[in-house]
Each structure stands twice: as structure tokens, then as C-alpha cells.
Amino acid sequence: MQYLSTRGNMAPARFREVLLEGLAPDGGLVVPSRYPRVTSVLARWRPLSYADLAREVLWLYADDYEPSALTRLVRATYTPAIFGSQSITPVVEIEPGMHLLQLSNGPTLAFKDIAMQLLGSLFEEELAHRGENLNILGATSGDTGSAAEVALRGRPRVRVFMLSPLGRMSAFQRAQMYSLQDANIFNLAIEGSFDDCQDLVKAIGSDLAFKRRHRLGAVNSINWARIVAQVVYYFRGYFAVTADESQEVDFCVPSGNFGNVLAGWIARQMGLPIGRLVVATNENDVLDEFFRSGRYRVRPGAQTHATSSPSMDISKASNFERFIFDIVGRDPAALRELWWQVDTQGSFELKDTPFWSAVVASGFASGRSFHADRLATIRRQYEHDRRILDPHTADGVKVAREHRRAGIPMVCLETALPAKFAETIREAIGRDPERPAAFRDIEQLPQRYEQLAADPERLRQFLQAHAL
Ligand SMILES: *Cc1c(COP(=O)(O)O)cnc(C)c1O
């Protein structure tokens, strides 16, 4: 498998060469040269364990590993000890025909662990192989940061510099990240929104000389290996709710940076019989606006709403470029033209272009969920079966209900456990969510972070002083 850039100016590379990278050298995103079709092997994949299925999917995209090395890596990652059950991503029915794909039983209680735990092992192996060190620079709206830090803490050859929006995360999320005392972890609380954090990472990432000099890599959701790791659970979710491969299944995905649902798009392109991919947004509805109107209009960071599903408080969906690359027939010139419009006018419009029919055919649909919807959805589910949904998952369930189709199972992706967002749960149902024992009193632990202005120059100085 070869990898290309969406912007068209990268020499073809293999998986291991792009593993440590965020942006492609030309400012685009790394994409595989094609999506392998798997229709004929679905029946054979159905009974596989999570780890063995992950190996099959990865092998299609990472064929520069020895198969035995991949097997070893996935079997060490997808274990009940790390993810709490043999099935790794259990599926439960929350009302007739509507299912929850549980992705949040990893060490930091959000779906990001599924990809990040694998990435930790892949990075360590790759760096040892190359005899190199790496400084990870990332931005988080909460969950990516703790998933990355927990996956990389204490690993030799790696330092983690994680930017988070000061005061925008839940107390639990803050404690999860800022209480880590490992010397290779640096938490940088930025005076701004998540988009400001992301812009800082992009600003540094596009300074190629600086990036090389300080061996900077990325683990944010534009990292290709994370996307591939997420493709696996769409197959698992599909198999869990179907008896054979003739059935269609719809998925609903709470979305921010478009990383999670992009993995669903890739599974669909590979031939998994996914009918609709329903994107659920919160008050920050850039993606919903696009799928309804054809206009992709990013908002400045200052206009990003701080909501009670904070991990989706994003107004510029970084992975969206990979989807649009497919929509424009994988033509880098067309893609560059659209992103030039985003950079100069803040938006592009596909409705009256030849590309709109591809969007319509893509199976995407969308909807939004606001604070009151979120609370009502949490309350309704709790009254129904005493299950407590996390606020992001509740956004998904709310939007999924609006998109139910008779006879077609709907799978909602659970993106976090409610314990991470107790404030909102209390507001919805008047009680605290249960907290796994390992996290009792986590807010009382000493916290360690640096506060920084949203200024690329300040960040450069900090990295210069602390990078490996
Ligand atoms: C990261 C995250 C999301 C958004 O996922 P994207 O891949 O950015 O679309 C939704 N919910 C939770 C809980 C998250 O941590």
C-alpha cells in the first residue's frame, strides 16, 4: 500500500514512513492510494476475535510489517486487561433496533483509547527500529490528550506536548491529564479555544525546518494510523447486529474533528454494507450545515461555543479534507482549490457543483443536538433502563432517533463514559454517574501544567527548551 497527500505534492510512501507524521509535507493529509475491497472476505472475518480482525484490517494498509509483528502488536493491545472485556467493543440494544457500540472501556474512558493504545505500541516499535526519538505535539479538546498521554507515558524515546484549551474541559478530564506526573508528559493549557490549540499545532507543523530540527510528530486525529485502527470497530459493530452480509446497517457518530466517522466512511468504501452514516454535531454545527446545505463554513475559534459535549466543540473538522478528497474524485487540484477558498473566504460551497451528487451518494446524513436535547436524551434513557449515556453519546442517540429507517439496525457509537462528565449528568438526572474505582478522588491529586498564551512564538520557545 502506498500513501499520497490530499494536496498532491508528496512522494508515495509506505505505512511505516507516514506512521509518525501528522500533516503531509505539502500541508495536506496522508491518504492511502486506494481502499481495498473486502466484500468477499466479510464472512471469514465475522467470527474473528477483535485482535485478529484488527490484524486483517491493518494488514491491508500496513503491508510493510511482517504479519507476525502485526499479530503480536494487536494481540498485546486488544486484551480484556486493557479494554475490560473479551469482545473489546461490546454492543447492547438500547431500544428495539437501536444499538450502542461501546467504545469507551479503555484506560481513559473514551473511544480514543482504541486507536491510541495501538499507536503507543506502534510508535515505540518504530522508534526503536529507527534508533530515533520523537516529540509529540498535539491539541486536545479533552479526550485525545489523556488517551495519548496514558498510551505514551513513561515510554522511552518519546516526549508528549499536549495543548488543551484552558478552562474548557470538565474537572475530571483536567484531572486525568494534569495529574500525570511522568517526566515525559508536558501539559500546556492554552489561553483560547480548542481551535486555537489546533491552529498552533498546524502553525508549528507547517514550519518544516522547525519540525525536523525538533523531531516533531503528531498523534491528533489527523494521524493516519489512528483512523485505520478505528475502521476495525465498524466491522465489529456490523457483525454484532447482523446474521449475514446481505443486511444493511446504519451508524450514527457524534462528531467533531470527523476522525471517528471518517473511519466509518472508509469501512463503507471497503465494501462493508453500511447504509447511512449519520453525523451528529452539538451546537457547533459546521458538519451538519455542510451535509444539509452543501456549504462548508468554518468559524473562527472565538465563535466556537463552549458546550456540555465539549469534545465536539470544534469548528474546523481537520479530517474532513480526507472525505472531500474522495468526493472530488481524488483530484488534488480540485481539493487545493476548495481549501484555498476556506483559507481566503472561510468557506466553500458544493451544492451547485458536479461534486454534490457524490456527497448525496456517500450515504452521509446529519443532525444536531443542543444542551436541552442532550439532557432530555440522558433522562429518557435513564428512565427507560437506568443506563446513563455520556453527553456526546446522547447527542448521537438523539440524532440517530431522527434518522431511524424501518427494518435497518441503527448502531450508535458510544464515545465516552458518563463518569468523565458528571456535571452534565447531575443536571440531567440529579445523581452522579458511577465512577470506575481507579478514578475515585482523581480531582484531588496534585496537577502539573503550564499556562501559555495562544501564540506560536511562545510555543516554539517552550518546545525548544523541553524537546528531546
Ligand atoms: C473526540 C471525541 C468526539 C469527536 O470525535 P471526532 O473523531 O473528533 O469526530 C466525540 N465524543 C467524544 C467523547 C470524544 O472524545
mmCIF file of all heavy atoms in Angstrom, residues 110-112 143 254-260 311-312 314 390 392 415-416, ligand 1:
data_model
loop_
_atom_site.group_PDB
_atom_site.id
_atom_site.type_symbol
_atom_site.label_atom_id
_atom_site.label_comp_id
_atom_site.label_asym_id
_atom_site.label_seq_id
_atom_site.Cartn_x
_atom_site.Cartn_y
_atom_site.Cartn_z
ATOM 1 N N ALA A 110 -12.716 6.826 27.004
ATOM 2 C CA ALA A 110 -13.265 7.397 25.767
ATOM 3 C C ALA A 110 -12.809 6.538 24.589
ATOM 4 O O ALA A 110 -11.831 5.793 24.693
ATOM 5 C CB ALA A 110 -12.817 8.841 25.580
ATOM 6 N N PHE A 111 -13.516 6.662 23.458
ATOM 7 C CA PHE A 111 -13.216 5.790 22.314
ATOM 8 C C PHE A 111 -11.795 5.980 21.809
ATOM 9 O O PHE A 111 -11.254 5.116 21.122
ATOM 10 C CB PHE A 111 -14.237 6.027 21.190
ATOM 11 C CG PHE A 111 -13.936 7.214 20.307
ATOM 12 C CD1 PHE A 111 -13.212 7.057 19.127
ATOM 13 C CD2 PHE A 111 -14.381 8.481 20.647
ATOM 14 C CE1 PHE A 111 -12.935 8.140 18.309
ATOM 15 C CE2 PHE A 111 -14.105 9.578 19.832
ATOM 16 C CZ PHE A 111 -13.372 9.412 18.664
ATOM 17 N N LYS A 112 -11.175 7.094 22.128
ATOM 18 C CA LYS A 112 -9.855 7.371 21.573
ATOM 19 C C LYS A 112 -8.793 6.377 22.033
ATOM 20 O O LYS A 112 -7.781 6.198 21.374
ATOM 21 C CB LYS A 112 -9.452 8.797 21.906
ATOM 22 C CG LYS A 112 -10.457 9.782 21.290
ATOM 23 C CD LYS A 112 -9.929 11.174 21.142
ATOM 24 C CE LYS A 112 -10.816 12.037 20.281
ATOM 25 N NZ LYS A 112 -12.100 12.404 20.910
ATOM 26 N N ASP A 143 -10.341 14.517 25.347
ATOM 27 C CA ASP A 143 -10.158 13.072 25.397
ATOM 28 C C ASP A 143 -8.925 12.574 24.662
ATOM 29 O O ASP A 143 -8.277 11.630 25.088
ATOM 30 C CB ASP A 143 -11.413 12.395 24.861
ATOM 31 C CG ASP A 143 -12.623 12.733 25.718
ATOM 32 O OD1 ASP A 143 -12.451 12.843 26.947
ATOM 33 O OD2 ASP A 143 -13.717 12.902 25.172
ATOM 34 N N PRO A 254 -21.273 10.651 16.950
ATOM 35 C CA PRO A 254 -21.058 12.002 17.490
ATOM 36 C C PRO A 254 -19.740 12.546 16.948
ATOM 37 O O PRO A 254 -18.706 11.892 17.090
ATOM 38 C CB PRO A 254 -20.958 11.778 19.010
ATOM 39 C CG PRO A 254 -21.524 10.407 19.254
ATOM 40 C CD PRO A 254 -21.262 9.629 18.010
ATOM 41 N N SER A 255 -19.762 13.724 16.314
ATOM 42 C CA SER A 255 -18.586 14.136 15.541
ATOM 43 C C SER A 255 -18.095 15.524 15.896
ATOM 44 O O SER A 255 -18.863 16.413 16.252
ATOM 45 C CB SER A 255 -18.916 14.113 14.048
ATOM 46 O OG SER A 255 -19.256 12.811 13.652
ATOM 47 N N GLY A 256 -16.778 15.670 15.777
ATOM 48 C CA GLY A 256 -16.145 16.955 15.978
ATOM 49 C C GLY A 256 -15.122 17.177 14.880
ATOM 50 O O GLY A 256 -15.317 17.943 13.943
ATOM 51 N N ASN A 257 -14.032 16.427 14.978
ATOM 52 C CA ASN A 257 -12.957 16.542 14.001
ATOM 53 C C ASN A 257 -13.128 15.610 12.808
ATOM 54 O O ASN A 257 -12.255 15.513 11.964
ATOM 55 C CB ASN A 257 -11.620 16.247 14.671
ATOM 56 C CG ASN A 257 -10.758 17.481 14.773
ATOM 57 O OD1 ASN A 257 -10.825 18.348 13.906
ATOM 58 N ND2 ASN A 257 -9.965 17.568 15.805
ATOM 59 N N PHE A 258 -14.233 14.873 12.773
ATOM 60 C CA PHE A 258 -14.551 13.997 11.651
ATOM 61 C C PHE A 258 -13.612 12.790 11.554
ATOM 62 O O PHE A 258 -13.499 12.148 10.524
ATOM 63 C CB PHE A 258 -14.518 14.795 10.332
ATOM 64 C CG PHE A 258 -15.402 14.252 9.251
ATOM 65 C CD1 PHE A 258 -16.776 14.417 9.313
ATOM 66 C CD2 PHE A 258 -14.871 13.584 8.155
ATOM 67 C CE1 PHE A 258 -17.598 13.929 8.304
ATOM 68 C CE2 PHE A 258 -15.681 13.093 7.137
ATOM 69 C CZ PHE A 258 -17.050 13.271 7.211
ATOM 70 N N GLY A 259 -12.923 12.461 12.658
ATOM 71 C CA GLY A 259 -12.000 11.320 12.615
ATOM 72 C C GLY A 259 -12.731 10.001 12.785
ATOM 73 O O GLY A 259 -12.503 9.042 12.028
ATOM 74 N N ASN A 260 -13.614 9.957 13.754
ATOM 75 C CA ASN A 260 -14.340 8.728 14.039
ATOM 76 C C ASN A 260 -15.201 8.325 12.842
ATOM 77 O O ASN A 260 -15.133 7.197 12.344
ATOM 78 C CB ASN A 260 -15.192 8.973 15.293
ATOM 79 C CG ASN A 260 -15.644 7.692 15.956
ATOM 80 O OD1 ASN A 260 -15.393 6.598 15.458
ATOM 81 N ND2 ASN A 260 -16.320 7.826 17.075
ATOM 82 N N SER A 311 -16.034 17.714 23.892
ATOM 83 C CA SER A 311 -15.098 17.068 22.964
ATOM 84 C C SER A 311 -15.530 17.253 21.518
ATOM 85 O O SER A 311 -14.814 16.856 20.600
ATOM 86 C CB SER A 311 -14.966 15.587 23.288
ATOM 87 O OG SER A 311 -14.573 15.435 24.630
ATOM 88 N N MET A 312 -16.704 17.835 21.322
ATOM 89 C CA MET A 312 -17.163 18.126 19.963
ATOM 90 C C MET A 312 -17.222 19.629 19.706
ATOM 91 O O MET A 312 -17.841 20.075 18.744
ATOM 92 C CB MET A 312 -18.544 17.510 19.737
ATOM 93 C CG MET A 312 -18.501 15.996 19.726
ATOM 94 S SD MET A 312 -20.035 15.222 20.271
ATOM 95 C CE MET A 312 -21.195 15.846 19.073
ATOM 96 N N ILE A 314 -15.790 21.980 18.100
ATOM 97 C CA ILE A 314 -14.807 22.126 17.035
ATOM 98 C C ILE A 314 -15.494 22.773 15.843
ATOM 99 O O ILE A 314 -16.609 22.391 15.484
ATOM 100 C CB ILE A 314 -14.256 20.726 16.662
ATOM 101 C CG1 ILE A 314 -13.420 20.183 17.826
ATOM 102 C CG2 ILE A 314 -13.446 20.771 15.378
ATOM 103 C CD1 ILE A 314 -13.100 18.731 17.729
ATOM 104 N N ASP A 390 -23.243 9.155 28.194
ATOM 105 C CA ASP A 390 -22.402 10.354 28.314
ATOM 106 C C ASP A 390 -23.007 11.424 27.394
ATOM 107 O O ASP A 390 -23.753 11.103 26.464
ATOM 108 C CB ASP A 390 -20.946 9.995 27.956
ATOM 109 C CG ASP A 390 -20.470 10.701 26.715
ATOM 110 O OD1 ASP A 390 -20.748 10.209 25.603
ATOM 111 O OD2 ASP A 390 -19.875 11.770 26.835
ATOM 112 N N HIS A 392 -21.924 13.268 24.897
ATOM 113 C CA HIS A 392 -21.630 13.162 23.467
ATOM 114 C C HIS A 392 -22.428 12.021 22.847
ATOM 115 O O HIS A 392 -23.014 12.150 21.775
ATOM 116 C CB HIS A 392 -20.134 12.924 23.239
ATOM 117 C CG HIS A 392 -19.268 13.881 23.978
ATOM 118 N ND1 HIS A 392 -19.047 13.785 25.331
ATOM 119 C CD2 HIS A 392 -18.576 14.974 23.569
ATOM 120 C CE1 HIS A 392 -18.257 14.768 25.724
ATOM 121 N NE2 HIS A 392 -17.965 15.518 24.666
ATOM 122 N N THR A 415 -19.037 7.302 22.633
ATOM 123 C CA THR A 415 -17.689 7.867 22.511
ATOM 124 C C THR A 415 -17.007 8.118 23.852
ATOM 125 O O THR A 415 -15.806 8.364 23.881
ATOM 126 C CB THR A 415 -17.711 9.164 21.679
ATOM 127 O OG1 THR A 415 -18.638 10.083 22.247
ATOM 128 C CG2 THR A 415 -18.092 8.879 20.243
ATOM 129 N N ALA A 416 -17.758 8.087 24.954
ATOM 130 C CA ALA A 416 -17.115 8.238 26.267
ATOM 131 C C ALA A 416 -18.032 7.648 27.328
ATOM 132 O O ALA A 416 -19.218 7.395 27.079
ATOM 133 C CB ALA A 416 -16.841 9.707 26.578
HETATM 134 C C1 LIG B 1 -13.055 13.047 20.222
HETATM 135 C C2 LIG B 1 -14.454 12.869 20.676
HETATM 136 C C3 LIG B 1 -15.534 13.073 19.806
HETATM 137 C C4 LIG B 1 -15.348 13.551 18.382
HETATM 138 O O1 LIG B 1 -14.678 12.605 17.586
HETATM 139 P P1 LIG B 1 -14.028 13.080 16.192
HETATM 140 O O2 LIG B 1 -13.228 11.934 15.738
HETATM 141 O O3 LIG B 1 -13.219 14.283 16.515
HETATM 142 O O4 LIG B 1 -15.168 13.411 15.286
HETATM 143 C C5 LIG B 1 -16.813 12.831 20.268
HETATM 144 N N1 LIG B 1 -17.025 12.444 21.544
HETATM 145 C C6 LIG B 1 -16.013 12.246 22.412
HETATM 146 C C7 LIG B 1 -16.335 11.828 23.809
HETATM 147 C C8 LIG B 1 -14.698 12.450 22.012
HETATM 148 O O5 LIG B 1 -13.704 12.253 22.863
#
